[in-house]
Amino acid sequence: MGKIAVALTDASPGSLAAAEAAELVELRIDHLGADALEGLVERFRGRCIVTYRAAADGGVDGAVAEADRLALLARAAKDGRVAYVDYELGCEGAAPPAAGRAAKLIVSRHDFERTPHAKELEQLRAEMESTGADVVKIVTTARAEPDCFGVYHLFEGASAPMIALAMGEYGHASRVICLKLGAEMTFASAAPGRESAPGQISLDDMLGMYRAGEVGRDTALYGVMGDPIAHSMSPAIHNAAFAQLAMDAVYLPFRVTDDAAEFTRRIFGEVGLQGLSVTIPHKEAVIASLDRVDPVAERMGAVNTVAATEGGLYGTNTDSAAACDSLEAALGGSLEGRRIGVCGAGGAARAIVYGAADRGAEVLIANRTRSRAERLAAETGAAVCGPEELAGAGLDALVNATSVGMAPNRDSCPVADEALREGLVVFDTVYNPLETTLLARARSRGCVTVDGMEMFVGQAAAQFELWTGQAAPGGLMRSVALERLAARTQEGG
Ligand code: NAP
Protein backbone atom coordinates (compact mmCIF):
# COMPACT_ATOMS: atom_id res chain seq x y z
CA MET A 1 0.00 0.00 0.00
CA GLY A 2 1.31 3.46 -0.89
CA LYS A 3 2.10 6.10 1.65
CA ILE A 4 0.92 9.68 2.01
CA ALA A 5 3.57 12.38 2.40
CA VAL A 6 2.58 15.80 3.66
CA ALA A 7 4.53 18.45 1.77
CA LEU A 8 5.58 20.82 4.54
CA THR A 9 6.07 24.36 3.26
CA ASP A 10 5.80 26.23 6.57
CA ALA A 11 6.36 25.42 10.23
CA SER A 12 3.14 26.90 11.66
CA PRO A 13 1.54 24.90 14.50
CA GLY A 14 -1.31 23.83 12.17
CA SER A 15 1.02 22.53 9.47
CA LEU A 16 3.24 20.73 11.99
CA ALA A 17 0.18 19.09 13.52
CA ALA A 18 -0.89 17.87 10.06
CA ALA A 19 2.62 16.52 9.48
CA GLU A 20 2.42 14.63 12.79
CA ALA A 21 -0.63 12.77 11.39
CA ALA A 22 1.10 11.76 8.14
CA GLU A 23 3.16 8.66 7.47
CA LEU A 24 5.81 10.69 5.64
CA VAL A 25 6.75 14.38 5.74
CA GLU A 26 8.39 16.09 2.79
CA LEU A 27 10.55 18.91 4.11
CA ARG A 28 10.53 21.52 1.36
CA ILE A 29 13.72 23.28 2.36
CA ASP A 30 13.30 25.93 -0.39
CA HIS A 31 10.18 27.04 1.53
CA LEU A 32 11.30 26.27 5.09
CA GLY A 33 14.89 27.57 4.96
CA ALA A 34 18.09 25.58 5.47
CA ASP A 35 18.27 26.60 9.15
CA ALA A 36 15.05 24.72 9.87
CA LEU A 37 16.45 21.42 8.57
CA GLU A 38 18.08 20.02 11.71
CA GLY A 39 15.09 20.61 13.98
CA LEU A 40 12.63 19.16 11.48
CA VAL A 41 14.73 16.10 10.68
CA GLU A 42 14.93 15.38 14.40
CA ARG A 43 11.19 15.93 14.83
CA PHE A 44 10.26 13.69 11.88
CA ARG A 45 13.10 11.24 12.39
CA GLY A 46 12.82 8.13 10.19
CA ARG A 47 9.91 9.43 8.10
CA CYS A 48 11.12 12.60 6.39
CA ILE A 49 11.89 13.30 2.77
CA VAL A 50 14.38 16.10 2.23
CA THR A 51 13.65 18.15 -0.89
CA TYR A 52 15.45 21.37 -1.75
CA ARG A 53 13.81 22.24 -5.03
CA ALA A 54 15.87 24.34 -7.46
CA ALA A 55 14.15 27.52 -8.65
CA ALA A 56 14.04 26.18 -12.21
CA ASP A 57 12.07 23.18 -10.94
CA GLY A 58 9.46 25.11 -9.01
CA GLY A 59 11.53 25.92 -5.90
CA VAL A 60 10.95 29.24 -4.13
CA ASP A 61 14.42 29.95 -2.72
CA GLY A 62 15.94 31.72 -5.73
CA ALA A 63 18.93 33.03 -3.72
CA VAL A 64 20.57 29.74 -2.82
CA ALA A 65 23.81 28.87 -4.62
CA GLU A 66 23.59 25.55 -6.46
CA ALA A 67 26.67 24.20 -4.64
CA ASP A 68 25.07 24.95 -1.25
CA ARG A 69 21.80 23.34 -2.30
CA LEU A 70 23.54 20.14 -3.42
CA ALA A 71 25.77 20.07 -0.34
CA LEU A 72 22.72 20.22 1.93
CA LEU A 73 21.09 17.36 0.00
CA ALA A 74 24.29 15.29 0.22
CA ARG A 75 24.45 15.77 4.00
CA ALA A 76 20.80 14.76 4.27
CA ALA A 77 21.41 11.65 2.14
CA LYS A 78 24.00 10.43 4.66
CA ASP A 79 21.82 11.25 7.69
CA GLY A 80 20.37 8.08 9.22
CA ARG A 81 17.27 9.97 10.37
CA VAL A 82 16.25 10.86 6.77
CA ALA A 83 14.08 8.34 4.88
CA TYR A 84 14.38 9.79 1.35
CA VAL A 85 16.28 12.55 -0.37
CA ASP A 86 15.03 14.05 -3.63
CA TYR A 87 17.36 15.09 -6.49
CA GLU A 88 16.06 16.48 -9.77
CA LEU A 89 17.08 14.47 -12.85
CA GLY A 90 20.49 15.76 -13.94
CA CYS A 91 21.59 16.54 -10.37
CA GLU A 92 21.64 12.98 -9.05
CA GLY A 93 25.35 12.69 -9.91
CA ALA A 94 25.98 14.94 -6.89
CA ALA A 95 24.37 12.42 -4.53
CA PRO A 96 26.63 10.21 -2.41
CA PRO A 97 27.03 6.71 -3.93
CA ALA A 98 24.60 4.04 -2.77
CA ALA A 99 27.09 2.62 -0.27
CA GLY A 100 27.47 6.01 1.39
CA ARG A 101 23.78 6.82 1.57
CA ALA A 102 21.51 6.23 4.54
CA ALA A 103 18.43 7.66 2.81
CA LYS A 104 16.73 6.31 -0.32
CA LEU A 105 17.42 8.33 -3.44
CA ILE A 106 14.41 9.78 -5.29
CA VAL A 107 15.28 11.08 -8.74
CA SER A 108 12.54 13.44 -9.89
CA ARG A 109 11.35 15.31 -12.97
CA HIS A 110 8.57 17.90 -12.89
CA ASP A 111 6.89 19.33 -15.96
CA PHE A 112 4.90 22.44 -15.06
CA GLU A 113 3.67 23.01 -18.60
CA ARG A 114 2.25 19.77 -19.97
CA THR A 115 2.18 15.99 -19.97
CA PRO A 116 4.52 14.55 -22.59
CA HIS A 117 3.23 11.86 -24.96
CA ALA A 118 3.28 8.25 -23.77
CA LYS A 119 6.42 7.35 -25.77
CA GLU A 120 8.29 10.37 -24.44
CA LEU A 121 7.24 9.47 -20.90
CA GLU A 122 8.48 5.91 -21.33
CA GLN A 123 11.85 7.14 -22.58
CA LEU A 124 12.07 9.51 -19.65
CA ARG A 125 11.30 6.69 -17.22
CA ALA A 126 14.01 4.50 -18.78
CA GLU A 127 16.54 7.34 -18.53
CA MET A 128 15.60 7.93 -14.90
CA GLU A 129 15.74 4.23 -14.01
CA SER A 130 19.26 4.07 -15.43
CA THR A 131 20.46 6.63 -12.86
CA GLY A 132 20.35 4.00 -10.11
CA ALA A 133 17.53 5.83 -8.34
CA ASP A 134 15.78 3.94 -5.55
CA VAL A 135 12.57 5.70 -6.55
CA VAL A 136 11.73 7.38 -9.87
CA LYS A 137 9.36 10.35 -9.58
CA ILE A 138 7.66 11.78 -12.68
CA VAL A 139 5.18 14.60 -12.18
CA THR A 140 3.50 16.28 -15.14
CA THR A 141 0.82 18.91 -15.65
CA ALA A 142 -2.53 17.70 -16.95
CA ARG A 143 -4.07 20.15 -19.41
CA ALA A 144 -7.01 17.81 -19.86
CA GLU A 145 -8.09 14.73 -17.94
CA PRO A 146 -6.95 12.25 -20.67
CA ASP A 147 -3.35 13.42 -20.05
CA CYS A 148 -3.46 11.26 -16.93
CA PHE A 149 -3.64 8.04 -18.95
CA GLY A 150 -0.02 8.44 -20.09
CA VAL A 151 0.98 8.87 -16.45
CA TYR A 152 -1.00 5.78 -15.37
CA HIS A 153 0.69 3.64 -18.04
CA LEU A 154 4.10 4.53 -16.58
CA PHE A 155 3.47 1.99 -13.82
CA GLU A 156 3.31 -0.85 -16.35
CA GLY A 157 6.76 -2.28 -16.92
CA ALA A 158 8.50 0.02 -14.44
CA SER A 159 11.68 -1.60 -13.13
CA ALA A 160 12.14 0.69 -10.11
CA PRO A 161 9.60 1.86 -7.53
CA MET A 162 7.72 4.85 -8.98
CA ILE A 163 5.85 7.96 -8.08
CA ALA A 164 3.87 9.26 -11.06
CA LEU A 165 1.01 11.74 -10.99
CA ALA A 166 -0.30 14.80 -12.76
CA MET A 167 -0.65 18.30 -11.30
CA GLY A 168 -3.55 20.70 -11.74
CA GLU A 169 -7.30 20.23 -11.38
CA TYR A 170 -7.39 17.83 -14.33
CA GLY A 171 -4.86 15.67 -12.49
CA HIS A 172 -6.75 15.59 -9.17
CA ALA A 173 -7.79 11.94 -9.38
CA SER A 174 -4.29 10.82 -10.41
CA ARG A 175 -3.03 11.75 -6.94
CA VAL A 176 -5.11 8.89 -5.50
CA ILE A 177 -5.27 6.50 -8.47
CA CYS A 178 -1.46 6.28 -8.48
CA LEU A 179 -1.68 4.46 -5.14
CA LYS A 180 -3.83 1.74 -6.69
CA LEU A 181 -1.29 1.42 -9.50
CA GLY A 182 1.53 0.84 -7.03
CA ALA A 183 3.03 4.29 -6.38
CA GLU A 184 5.64 4.42 -3.64
CA MET A 185 3.82 7.45 -2.22
CA THR A 186 1.59 10.39 -3.05
CA PHE A 187 1.69 13.93 -1.69
CA ALA A 188 -0.83 16.02 0.25
CA SER A 189 -0.84 19.60 1.49
CA ALA A 190 -0.91 20.33 5.22
CA ALA A 191 -4.11 22.34 4.68
CA PRO A 192 -6.03 24.01 1.83
CA GLY A 193 -4.00 27.02 0.69
CA ARG A 194 -0.68 25.43 1.74
CA GLU A 195 -0.11 23.43 -1.47
CA SER A 196 3.47 22.98 -2.64
CA ALA A 197 2.25 22.05 -6.15
CA PRO A 198 -0.87 22.87 -8.16
CA GLY A 199 -3.85 20.65 -7.44
CA GLN A 200 -2.44 19.04 -4.29
CA ILE A 201 -5.19 17.53 -2.14
CA SER A 202 -5.24 18.45 1.57
CA LEU A 203 -4.24 15.76 4.07
CA ASP A 204 -7.71 16.00 5.62
CA ASP A 205 -9.35 15.07 2.32
CA MET A 206 -6.70 12.47 1.48
CA LEU A 207 -7.12 10.63 4.77
CA GLY A 208 -10.68 11.58 5.69
CA MET A 209 -12.66 11.66 2.46
CA TYR A 210 -10.58 9.42 0.18
CA ARG A 211 -9.12 7.12 2.89
CA ALA A 212 -6.05 7.14 0.64
CA GLY A 213 -3.93 5.47 3.31
CA GLU A 214 -5.95 2.30 2.60
CA VAL A 215 -5.91 2.54 -1.22
CA GLY A 216 -4.01 -0.31 -2.83
CA ARG A 217 -4.10 -2.66 -5.81
CA ASP A 218 -7.44 -4.25 -4.82
CA THR A 219 -9.27 -0.99 -4.16
CA ALA A 220 -12.35 -0.57 -6.37
CA LEU A 221 -12.45 2.75 -8.21
CA TYR A 222 -15.55 4.89 -8.79
CA GLY A 223 -15.99 8.51 -9.74
CA VAL A 224 -18.00 11.39 -11.11
CA MET A 225 -17.36 13.06 -14.46
CA GLY A 226 -18.47 16.63 -15.16
CA ASP A 227 -17.31 20.17 -15.83
CA PRO A 228 -17.15 21.99 -13.51
CA ILE A 229 -16.71 19.32 -10.85
CA ALA A 230 -14.67 20.86 -8.02
CA HIS A 231 -17.75 21.58 -5.87
CA SER A 232 -19.53 18.30 -6.46
CA MET A 233 -20.88 16.78 -3.23
CA SER A 234 -20.84 13.28 -4.75
CA PRO A 235 -17.28 12.32 -3.65
CA ALA A 236 -18.08 13.20 -0.03
CA ILE A 237 -21.30 11.18 0.10
CA HIS A 238 -20.14 8.09 -1.81
CA ASN A 239 -16.85 7.88 0.08
CA ALA A 240 -18.69 8.25 3.40
CA ALA A 241 -20.93 5.35 2.36
CA PHE A 242 -17.92 3.18 1.41
CA ALA A 243 -16.30 3.97 4.76
CA GLN A 244 -19.48 3.19 6.69
CA LEU A 245 -19.71 -0.23 5.03
CA ALA A 246 -15.93 -0.78 5.45
CA MET A 247 -15.59 -1.31 1.69
CA ASP A 248 -12.22 -1.18 -0.05
CA ALA A 249 -13.38 1.43 -2.57
CA VAL A 250 -12.77 5.07 -3.41
CA TYR A 251 -14.80 7.61 -5.42
CA LEU A 252 -13.01 10.47 -7.21
CA PRO A 253 -13.96 13.58 -9.20
CA PHE A 254 -12.88 13.74 -12.86
CA ARG A 255 -13.02 17.11 -14.52
CA VAL A 256 -13.69 16.18 -18.13
CA THR A 257 -14.11 19.02 -20.60
CA ASP A 258 -14.26 17.34 -24.01
CA ASP A 259 -15.10 13.96 -25.42
CA ALA A 260 -16.86 12.39 -22.48
CA ALA A 261 -17.53 9.14 -24.36
CA GLU A 262 -13.84 8.57 -25.12
CA PHE A 263 -12.85 9.35 -21.54
CA THR A 264 -15.50 6.94 -20.24
CA ARG A 265 -14.27 4.10 -22.46
CA ARG A 266 -10.67 4.68 -21.40
CA ILE A 267 -11.18 5.09 -17.66
CA PHE A 268 -13.15 1.83 -17.49
CA GLY A 269 -10.97 -0.03 -19.98
CA GLU A 270 -7.49 1.14 -19.00
CA VAL A 271 -7.79 1.90 -15.28
CA GLY A 272 -10.52 -0.55 -14.29
CA LEU A 273 -13.14 1.91 -13.03
CA GLN A 274 -16.23 0.08 -11.79
CA GLY A 275 -18.82 2.84 -11.73
CA LEU A 276 -19.17 6.41 -12.93
CA SER A 277 -21.65 9.17 -12.08
CA VAL A 278 -22.19 11.58 -14.93
CA THR A 279 -23.19 15.17 -14.47
CA ILE A 280 -23.54 18.37 -16.49
CA PRO A 281 -22.67 18.70 -19.37
CA HIS A 282 -22.01 15.04 -20.29
CA LYS A 283 -25.26 13.15 -19.63
CA GLU A 284 -26.08 12.95 -23.32
CA ALA A 285 -22.59 12.56 -24.79
CA VAL A 286 -21.69 9.63 -22.52
CA ILE A 287 -24.29 7.40 -24.23
CA ALA A 288 -22.00 6.86 -27.23
CA SER A 289 -19.59 4.91 -24.99
CA LEU A 290 -22.17 2.44 -23.67
CA ASP A 291 -22.95 -1.14 -24.64
CA ARG A 292 -26.42 -1.16 -23.05
CA VAL A 293 -28.76 1.60 -21.91
CA ASP A 294 -31.84 1.34 -19.73
CA PRO A 295 -34.90 2.00 -21.97
CA VAL A 296 -36.18 5.09 -20.10
CA ALA A 297 -32.71 6.66 -20.07
CA GLU A 298 -32.32 5.84 -23.75
CA ARG A 299 -35.61 7.50 -24.70
CA MET A 300 -34.74 10.48 -22.50
CA GLY A 301 -31.30 10.73 -24.07
CA ALA A 302 -29.64 11.26 -20.66
CA VAL A 303 -27.54 8.88 -18.56
CA ASN A 304 -26.25 9.84 -15.11
CA THR A 305 -24.89 6.44 -14.07
CA VAL A 306 -22.51 4.01 -15.77
CA ALA A 307 -21.64 0.59 -14.38
CA ALA A 308 -19.09 -1.98 -15.54
CA THR A 309 -21.00 -5.24 -16.06
CA GLU A 310 -20.19 -8.59 -17.62
CA GLY A 311 -22.03 -7.46 -20.74
CA GLY A 312 -19.95 -4.27 -21.02
CA LEU A 313 -20.76 -0.71 -19.96
CA TYR A 314 -24.34 -0.23 -18.84
CA GLY A 315 -25.99 3.18 -18.46
CA THR A 316 -29.10 4.26 -16.60
CA ASN A 317 -30.66 7.38 -15.12
CA THR A 318 -31.10 7.32 -11.37
CA ASP A 319 -32.19 11.01 -11.29
CA SER A 320 -35.42 9.97 -12.90
CA ALA A 321 -36.07 7.00 -10.63
CA ALA A 322 -35.08 8.93 -7.49
CA ALA A 323 -37.40 11.85 -8.28
CA CYS A 324 -40.31 9.50 -9.02
CA ASP A 325 -39.63 7.41 -5.90
CA SER A 326 -39.68 10.62 -3.79
CA LEU A 327 -43.00 11.62 -5.33
CA GLU A 328 -44.49 8.18 -4.74
CA ALA A 329 -43.33 8.18 -1.12
CA ALA A 330 -44.98 11.57 -0.53
CA LEU A 331 -48.16 10.59 -2.37
CA GLY A 332 -48.32 7.31 -0.48
CA GLY A 333 -48.58 5.18 -3.61
CA SER A 334 -47.89 4.70 -7.28
CA LEU A 335 -47.78 7.54 -9.80
CA GLU A 336 -50.17 5.60 -12.03
CA GLY A 337 -53.10 7.84 -12.92
CA ARG A 338 -51.84 10.80 -10.81
CA ARG A 339 -51.81 14.35 -12.19
CA ILE A 340 -48.34 15.85 -11.87
CA GLY A 341 -47.50 19.45 -12.77
CA VAL A 342 -43.86 20.07 -13.67
CA CYS A 343 -42.35 23.57 -13.92
CA GLY A 344 -39.37 23.46 -16.29
CA ALA A 345 -38.25 21.67 -19.44
CA GLY A 346 -34.46 21.39 -18.89
CA GLY A 347 -32.41 18.39 -17.80
CA ALA A 348 -34.06 17.85 -14.39
CA ALA A 349 -37.55 18.28 -15.85
CA ARG A 350 -36.79 15.76 -18.61
CA ALA A 351 -35.75 13.16 -16.04
CA ILE A 352 -38.95 13.68 -14.04
CA VAL A 353 -41.38 13.94 -16.98
CA TYR A 354 -40.01 10.82 -18.67
CA GLY A 355 -39.99 8.87 -15.40
CA ALA A 356 -43.48 9.97 -14.34
CA ALA A 357 -44.95 9.32 -17.80
CA ASP A 358 -43.30 5.88 -17.78
CA ARG A 359 -45.01 5.13 -14.45
CA GLY A 360 -48.39 6.08 -15.89
CA ALA A 361 -48.82 9.62 -14.53
CA GLU A 362 -50.64 12.39 -16.43
CA VAL A 363 -48.04 15.12 -16.70
CA LEU A 364 -48.60 18.82 -17.29
CA ILE A 365 -45.54 20.90 -18.19
CA ALA A 366 -45.24 24.67 -17.60
CA ASN A 367 -42.03 26.29 -18.80
CA ARG A 368 -40.84 29.84 -19.39
CA THR A 369 -39.93 28.94 -22.96
CA ARG A 370 -43.14 27.31 -24.13
CA SER A 371 -41.65 25.75 -27.27
CA ARG A 372 -39.25 23.71 -25.11
CA ALA A 373 -42.18 22.44 -23.02
CA GLU A 374 -44.02 21.53 -26.22
CA ARG A 375 -41.09 19.47 -27.47
CA LEU A 376 -40.81 17.57 -24.20
CA ALA A 377 -44.57 17.04 -24.12
CA ALA A 378 -44.58 15.68 -27.67
CA GLU A 379 -41.82 13.19 -26.77
CA THR A 380 -43.57 11.92 -23.63
CA GLY A 381 -47.29 12.30 -24.25
CA ALA A 382 -47.53 15.05 -21.59
CA ALA A 383 -49.60 18.24 -21.95
CA VAL A 384 -48.47 21.86 -21.81
CA CYS A 385 -49.94 24.76 -19.83
CA GLY A 386 -49.04 28.24 -18.66
CA PRO A 387 -47.79 28.58 -15.05
CA GLU A 388 -51.01 30.42 -14.10
CA GLU A 389 -53.08 27.40 -15.21
CA LEU A 390 -51.45 25.06 -12.67
CA ALA A 391 -53.75 26.34 -9.87
CA GLY A 392 -56.93 24.97 -11.45
CA ALA A 393 -55.43 21.83 -12.94
CA GLY A 394 -56.49 19.42 -10.17
CA LEU A 395 -52.91 18.31 -9.51
CA ASP A 396 -51.85 15.63 -7.05
CA ALA A 397 -48.28 16.90 -7.05
CA LEU A 398 -46.38 19.94 -8.27
CA VAL A 399 -42.66 19.79 -9.07
CA ASN A 400 -40.29 22.70 -9.50
CA ALA A 401 -37.59 21.56 -11.93
CA THR A 402 -36.41 25.06 -12.81
CA SER A 403 -33.56 26.92 -11.14
CA VAL A 404 -36.03 29.50 -9.80
CA GLY A 405 -35.46 29.91 -6.03
CA MET A 406 -31.87 28.64 -6.13
CA ALA A 407 -29.19 30.67 -4.29
CA PRO A 408 -28.46 33.51 -4.71
CA ASN A 409 -32.02 34.24 -5.96
CA ARG A 410 -33.60 32.70 -2.87
CA ASP A 411 -36.68 34.92 -2.80
CA SER A 412 -38.07 33.91 -6.17
CA CYS A 413 -40.82 31.32 -6.49
CA PRO A 414 -41.94 29.53 -9.68
CA VAL A 415 -45.71 29.56 -8.95
CA ALA A 416 -48.29 31.86 -7.36
CA ASP A 417 -49.70 31.00 -3.92
CA GLU A 418 -53.06 30.01 -5.45
CA ALA A 419 -51.40 26.92 -6.93
CA LEU A 420 -50.51 25.70 -3.41
CA ARG A 421 -53.66 24.15 -1.95
CA GLU A 422 -53.78 22.09 1.22
CA GLY A 423 -52.74 18.43 0.79
CA LEU A 424 -50.94 19.01 -2.52
CA VAL A 425 -47.51 17.34 -2.70
CA VAL A 426 -44.94 20.03 -3.57
CA PHE A 427 -41.49 18.85 -4.58
CA ASP A 428 -38.70 21.34 -5.24
CA THR A 429 -35.65 19.88 -7.01
CA VAL A 430 -33.58 22.88 -5.89
CA TYR A 431 -31.56 21.95 -2.78
CA ASN A 432 -29.55 25.12 -2.28
CA PRO A 433 -31.19 26.39 -0.12
CA LEU A 434 -32.84 23.32 1.30
CA GLU A 435 -35.95 25.24 2.35
CA THR A 436 -36.75 27.26 -0.78
CA THR A 437 -39.32 30.04 -0.86
CA LEU A 438 -41.62 27.63 -2.72
CA LEU A 439 -41.36 25.00 0.03
CA ALA A 440 -41.79 27.57 2.83
CA ARG A 441 -44.97 28.93 1.21
CA ALA A 442 -46.24 25.44 0.43
CA ARG A 443 -45.73 24.31 4.02
CA SER A 444 -47.53 27.36 5.41
CA ARG A 445 -50.50 26.53 3.17
CA GLY A 446 -50.73 22.93 4.34
CA CYS A 447 -49.00 21.18 1.43
CA VAL A 448 -46.87 18.04 1.83
CA THR A 449 -43.32 19.16 0.95
CA VAL A 450 -40.34 17.26 -0.46
CA ASP A 451 -36.94 18.96 -0.68
CA GLY A 452 -34.34 18.60 -3.45
CA MET A 453 -31.99 16.63 -1.23
CA GLU A 454 -34.40 13.66 -1.40
CA MET A 455 -33.73 13.40 -5.14
CA PHE A 456 -30.03 14.14 -4.84
CA VAL A 457 -29.42 11.53 -2.16
CA GLY A 458 -31.88 9.13 -3.82
CA GLN A 459 -30.03 9.19 -7.14
CA ALA A 460 -26.69 8.66 -5.37
CA ALA A 461 -28.07 5.83 -3.21
CA ALA A 462 -29.43 4.10 -6.31
CA GLN A 463 -26.02 4.36 -7.98
CA PHE A 464 -24.34 2.93 -4.91
CA GLU A 465 -26.74 -0.02 -4.84
CA LEU A 466 -26.35 -0.71 -8.55
CA TRP A 467 -22.56 -0.68 -8.30
CA THR A 468 -22.07 -2.55 -5.05
CA GLY A 469 -25.18 -4.69 -4.64
CA GLN A 470 -25.38 -3.42 -1.04
CA ALA A 471 -28.06 -1.28 0.64
CA ALA A 472 -26.88 2.36 0.65
CA PRO A 473 -26.70 4.13 4.03
CA GLY A 474 -29.15 6.84 2.90
CA GLY A 475 -29.35 8.65 6.26
CA LEU A 476 -25.58 9.03 6.40
CA MET A 477 -25.42 10.16 2.77
CA ARG A 478 -28.06 12.82 3.45
CA SER A 479 -26.31 14.14 6.57
CA VAL A 480 -22.94 14.32 4.76
CA ALA A 481 -24.57 16.18 1.85
CA LEU A 482 -26.21 18.61 4.28
CA GLU A 483 -22.86 19.24 6.01
CA ARG A 484 -21.21 19.97 2.64
CA LEU A 485 -24.06 22.25 1.66
CA ALA A 486 -23.79 24.16 4.94
CA ALA A 487 -20.01 24.55 4.44
CA ARG A 488 -20.57 25.77 0.90
CA THR A 489 -23.20 28.29 2.10
CA GLN A 490 -20.72 29.55 4.69
CA GLU A 491 -18.11 30.03 1.97
CA GLY A 492 -20.71 32.11 0.12
CA GLY A 493 -21.42 29.48 -2.58
P1 NAP B 1 -31.38 23.40 -17.14
O1 NAP B 1 -31.34 22.21 -18.03
O2 NAP B 1 -30.51 24.56 -17.42
O3 NAP B 1 -32.90 23.94 -17.13
C1 NAP B 1 -33.25 25.10 -16.43
C2 NAP B 1 -34.76 25.22 -16.38
O4 NAP B 1 -35.07 26.33 -15.53
C3 NAP B 1 -35.38 25.53 -17.74
O5 NAP B 1 -36.67 24.98 -17.78
C4 NAP B 1 -35.46 27.07 -17.71
O6 NAP B 1 -36.46 27.59 -18.54
C5 NAP B 1 -35.83 27.29 -16.27
N1 NAP B 1 -35.48 28.63 -15.81
C6 NAP B 1 -34.25 29.12 -15.58
N2 NAP B 1 -34.33 30.39 -15.13
C7 NAP B 1 -35.64 30.71 -15.09
C8 NAP B 1 -36.37 31.88 -14.70
N3 NAP B 1 -35.74 32.97 -14.27
N4 NAP B 1 -37.71 31.83 -14.76
C9 NAP B 1 -38.38 30.73 -15.19
N5 NAP B 1 -37.74 29.59 -15.57
C10 NAP B 1 -36.39 29.58 -15.51
O7 NAP B 1 -31.10 23.00 -15.61
P2 NAP B 1 -31.46 21.62 -14.90
O8 NAP B 1 -30.29 20.74 -14.91
O9 NAP B 1 -32.76 21.12 -15.39
O10 NAP B 1 -31.61 22.11 -13.38
C11 NAP B 1 -32.77 22.81 -12.95
C12 NAP B 1 -32.82 22.79 -11.44
O11 NAP B 1 -32.94 21.47 -10.97
C13 NAP B 1 -31.58 23.37 -10.77
O12 NAP B 1 -31.98 24.28 -9.78
C14 NAP B 1 -30.91 22.22 -10.10
O13 NAP B 1 -30.36 22.55 -8.85
C15 NAP B 1 -32.06 21.26 -9.89
N6 NAP B 1 -31.58 19.87 -9.94
C16 NAP B 1 -31.67 19.14 -8.82
C17 NAP B 1 -31.25 17.84 -8.81
C18 NAP B 1 -31.38 17.06 -7.54
O14 NAP B 1 -30.81 15.96 -7.47
N7 NAP B 1 -32.11 17.54 -6.56
C19 NAP B 1 -30.72 17.26 -9.96
C20 NAP B 1 -30.64 18.04 -11.12
C21 NAP B 1 -31.06 19.35 -11.09
P3 NAP B 1 -36.15 27.92 -20.07
O15 NAP B 1 -36.33 26.63 -20.82
O16 NAP B 1 -37.16 28.94 -20.42
O17 NAP B 1 -34.75 28.44 -20.14
Side-chain angles (χ1 to χ4, degrees):
M1 223 162 270
K3 305 172 188 121
I4 321 284
V6 157
L8 198 65
T9 55
D10 73 283
S12 64
S15 295
L16 290 171
E20 294 293 356
E23 202 170 348
L24 291 169
V25 183
E26 184 186 36
L27 304 176
R28 282 290 301 261
I29 301 304
D30 50 308
H31 285 266
L32 295 160
D35 292 346
L37 182 67
E38 171 54 31
L40 291 170
V41 165
E42 186 53 31
R43 182 169 186 154
F44 299 111
R45 173 187 271 270
R47 60 190 182 100
C48 58
I49 303 159
V50 175
T51 303
Y52 199 172
R53 200 59 78 220
D57 284 287
V60 297
D61 181 2
V64 65
E66 185 63 357
D68 292 343
R69 189 178 78 86
L70 295 175
L72 180 142
L73 287 173
R75 276 199 308 281
K78 293 180 195 153
D79 189 325
R81 299 169 299 173
V82 173
Y84 299 87
V85 64
D86 180 321
Y87 283 75
E88 298 83 7
L89 179 65
C91 298
E92 75 284 352
R101 287 198 303 264
K104 284 188 181 171
L105 174 66
I106 299 174
V107 173
S108 65
R109 166 59 67 84
H110 294 76
D111 189 327
F112 290 94
E113 295 298 320
R114 63 182 191 121
T115 298
H117 293 298
K119 264 265 152 310
E120 225 182 300
L121 281 173
E122 271 176 36
Q123 281 164 2
L124 177 64
R125 184 192 62 196
E127 182 191 345
M128 294 175 78
E129 285 173 345
S130 72
T131 62
D134 297 307
V135 180
V136 166
K137 177 181 179 189
I138 298 178
V139 177
T140 69
T141 296
R143 295 273 171 228
E145 172 65 48
D147 286 349
C148 297
F149 290 110
V151 173
Y152 299 147
H153 288 303
L154 278 170
F155 288 96
E156 295 157 14
S159 64
M162 291 236 19
I163 301 165
L165 53 89
M167 296 183 283
E169 193 191 343
Y170 288 108
H172 185 101
S174 75
R175 293 180 174 276
V176 178
I177 289 179
C178 66
L179 294 173
K180 177 178 166 73
L181 301 177
E184 175 88 355
M185 68 183 77
T186 191
F187 296 83
S189 67
R194 303 255 159 93
E195 298 79 15
S196 68
Q200 222 167 44
I201 299 168
S202 71
L203 185 70
D204 264 0
D205 279 352
M206 266 295 187
L207 295 181
M209 181 163 60
Y210 296 135
R211 294 185 298 143
E214 296 162 39
V215 170
R217 293 200 185 272
D218 296 335
T219 303
L221 286 182
Y222 299 88
V224 56
M225 155 174 87
D227 190 17
I229 203 65
H231 289 107
S232 170
M233 296 192 291
S234 297
I237 66 175
H238 280 286
N239 283 314
F242 289 140
Q244 169 90 357
L245 272 67
M247 293 177 68
D248 185 7
V250 66
Y251 181 106
L252 297 159
F254 300 103
R255 182 176 173 204
V256 174
T257 302
D258 301 311
D259 212 342
E262 171 75 358
F263 172 78
T264 302
R265 269 192 293 268
R266 293 191 70 183
I267 196 78
F268 278 93
E270 297 175 34
V271 187
L273 204 79
Q274 308 215 347
L276 183 67
S277 309
V278 184
T279 187
I280 290 169
H282 300 313
K283 291 184 186 182
E284 195 179 333
V286 72
I287 294 174
S289 67
L290 305 177
D291 299 297
R292 277 186 311 130
V293 183
D294 159 88
V296 179
E298 184 155 40
R299 283 203 301 280
M300 195 189 309
V303 157
N304 81 325
T305 309
V306 181
T309 69
E310 282 186 4
L313 295 184
Y314 167 72
T316 186
N317 192 309
T318 63
D319 284 333
S320 179
C324 293
D325 289 350
S326 301
L327 278 173
E328 287 185 339
L331 286 163
S334 155
L335 285 180
E336 175 96 49
R338 305 287 193 149
R339 279 176 74 75
I340 314 292
V342 176
C343 298
R350 286 183 74 77
I352 294 162
V353 172
Y354 266 92
D358 193 62
R359 293 188 192 193
E362 277 178 54
V363 183
L364 213 53
I365 309 170
N367 190 47
R368 180 178 60 179
T369 308
R370 195 175 170 104
S371 57
R372 231 178 148 192
E374 284 168 351
R375 271 202 303 280
L376 179 55
E379 289 171 30
T380 55
V384 176
C385 70
E388 68 293 343
E389 293 172 74
L390 289 169
L395 299 179
D396 295 299
L398 172 72
V399 181
N400 174 36
T402 73
S403 45
V404 174
M406 189 165 81
N409 302 315
R410 294 161 185 260
D411 295 338
S412 48
C413 185
V415 295
D417 280 359
E418 296 73 68
L420 305 173
R421 60 162 175 73
E422 193 175 348
L424 179 72
V425 168
V426 177
F427 168 29
D428 201 337
T429 64
V430 172
Y431 54 74
N432 184 18
L434 196 59
E435 166 110 330
T436 58
T437 297
L438 170 64
L439 291 187
R441 286 188 189 164
R443 185 168 297 120
S444 74
R445 295 176 70 92
C447 302
V448 177
T449 58
V450 182
D451 64 49
M453 210 43 106
E454 287 288 309
M455 175 177 169
F456 182 72
V457 171
Q459 60 80 28
Q463 294 181 327
F464 188 91
E465 291 176 4
L466 173 71
W467 293 331
T468 66
Q470 304 226 35
L476 171 80
M477 291 168 101
R478 183 177 169 98
S479 66
V480 170
L482 291 176
E483 268 169 36
R484 287 276 156 162
L485 193 59
R488 204 200 280 178
T489 307
Q490 244 174 10
E491 287 165 13

